[in-house]
Amino acid sequence: MSFSGGLRLTDLNDYITPGQECIKPVPVKKTSRSDGSQIKVDTTGDYFEVTKDGSSTKLEAAQITLNDCLACSGCVTSAETVLITMQSHTELVSVLDENRKLHSEGRGEEAKKVVVTVAPQSRASLALKYGVSTQCVAKRMTHVLKTMGVDYVLDSAFGRDITLVESAREFVRRYRASNGHVGDGQSLPVLASWCPGWVCYAEKTHASVLPWMSTTRSPQQTMGAIVKHYMAKKLQTSPDRIYHVAIMMCYDKKLEASRDDFYNDIYKTRDVDCVVTTGEFDRLLNETRVDFASVPEAPLDSLNNTDSVHASAGTSAGGGLEYILSYAARELFNIDVSPGLVAAVGKGEAHPLFEVKLVRNQSDHREITLLDPTTKQPLLQFAAVYGFRHLQNLVRKLKSKRSVYHYVEVAACPSACSNGGGQLQPEDPSPGAKKQWVANTERTYAQDTCKLPEDSVREFIYEWFGPHGLDSDDAQRLLHTQFHGVEATANPLGVSW
């Protein structure tokens, strides 16, 4: 997996640091004497070394991998900033072409099983464009992908449900470990870590907040563990014989998939081999001349014997705030408030057990407080913080120990994941049209029937991990990750003054 030779920064209004070029020098063979060579640039932008006798040699372009990007602190931007031309739909097409070739040569046993998992946010974006339900999109995508040669098409909401359940358990453990005190140690607050843009930002510039990150894997990487471990065992094959593609709303998900934490050293394979954004999938439809509006529907593949897609209560950030607050209220204080009720309160519905505040009157920074039924004093203080502008304010509060939050749901993109950099865009590029498009995508995302995550995945968890379920050693190993602070290495020559 690699980048194209050049990267550029776009004119995002959510940009973090002063403009800096991404630079990874190409090794140059030095000699003990100078021959008077010069470097020239032709009309195409290619660089050539020209010697005294007039001969020229084209210079090699720098090759930048996804891991180079993760290890570099030269730029910190939101998802749209890094334009990735590799690890895209072309890689999926290449693998499927190779599988067809192997089958035609009578070597079908060498072909890889191809599994595609689809994010609910991507389905919502496609549903809005084509004017159909998310259920219809799921079934049409299944038909298209299986016609191309994909073996299984799964809903990544299944991984989200497992992530929600384990995230809630992690929060309760950490709350009890600190006796509910915020900022005294490394237990509280708990900062959601599903958004790779936020994770990269924290690792590169604010390593001091990393101990507060939730260690539970994101839904994408939970699906990676399911595909490369559970499904590999079920299919009686090794993880490296499965090619796993995730269709996601965000370019930064490509970076997340490339993290070494999600690489299997034994089988030399990643839990997620390739990430295709919503826009790239739509481009694939155009390139293969598929009229998605008239594609027939195919039965859905499922890991829990269901024939429909479903949602979790909350925003397109994934429903972490709503579910974890509901779970913690029940486990810690014996207060029964459903995730759906928490979601309704977050949208403005009044309830005597909750206080809701929009910080600076901004919907991208909401505070939701659970009150004691008797004293009306705060029991749990949660917040949703979307967009880098609000994230910087959050980090400042954390560093100055002025934050009172027990849990923060974090997303790098304003309006959360419906506004991911890989999502489809409206034909009208005006800010007003874009804002309305994102709002409509969010509404489309919320139209699916909500299910409690534990009801969706309970039987599967015990089938996968045995009688100890999520308390088993395998579950704790496969469903958690870690974070790494990156030492600043910015090259001053790369700064745009």
Side-chain angles (χ1 to χ4, degrees), residues 130 144 148 281-295:
Y130 290 99
V144 169
M148 293 175 61
F281 176 76
D282 197 51
R283 196 175 309 136
L284 173 62
L285 296 177
N286 292 331
E287 291 173 358
T288 53
R289 298 181 180 179
V290 172
D291 180 11
F292 197 68
S294 60
V295 165

Side-chain angles (χ1 to χ4, degrees), residues 350-363:
H351 192 280
L353 289 182
F354 289 97
E355 284 184 352
V356 179
K357 177 184 177 183
L358 300 183
V359 179
R360 296 185 181 88
N361 203 33
Q362 295 287 319
S363 60

Side-chain angles (χ1 to χ4, degrees), residues 380-396:
L380 292 171
Q381 294 179 272
F382 280 38
V385 179
Y386 306 150
F388 273 121
R389 290 176 179 174
H390 297 297
L391 289 185
Q392 291 176 91
N393 292 331
L394 171 66
V395 169
R396 280 193 288 268

Side-chain angles (χ1 to χ4, degrees), residues 308-329:
S308 63
V309 296
H310 69 274
S312 60
T315 71
S316 60
L321 182 151
E322 291 78 10
Y323 181 75
I324 294 170
L325 180 50
S326 169
Y327 180 91

